[in-house]
Amino acid sequence: SSVTTMAEMFTDAVSFVQELRYWNVNASAIFTDMFNGATALKAYYEYGDGTQIADTPTADFFEFGKA
């Protein structure tokens, strides 16, 4: 992928839910507020203790599918 910024990509996308953890973000360095207001997506990725992912994920979030 050649996308270098994903800042605010899903801001206020209240009903969007997709599996994103397999995305290749090797060229991306900016994730600022990527999930800000993305309520359904944040609920989908809720941790077992009830906390949700941050508005600004780290690259580690996308490491799920890597060996």
Side-chain angles (χ1 to χ4, degrees), residues 22-63:
Y22 293 98
W23 282 15
N24 178 348
V25 297
N26 292 335
S28 301
I30 302 170
F31 303 103
T32 307
D33 289 334
M34 184 176 177
F35 301 137
N36 184 32
T39 52
L41 186 66
K42 290 177 75 172
Y44 177 77
Y45 288 114
E46 188 172 275
Y47 298 111
D49 64 0
T51 59
Q52 294 183 340
I53 60 172
D55 288 342
T56 301
T58 64
D60 290 340
F61 172 79
F62 300 98
E63 297 292 312

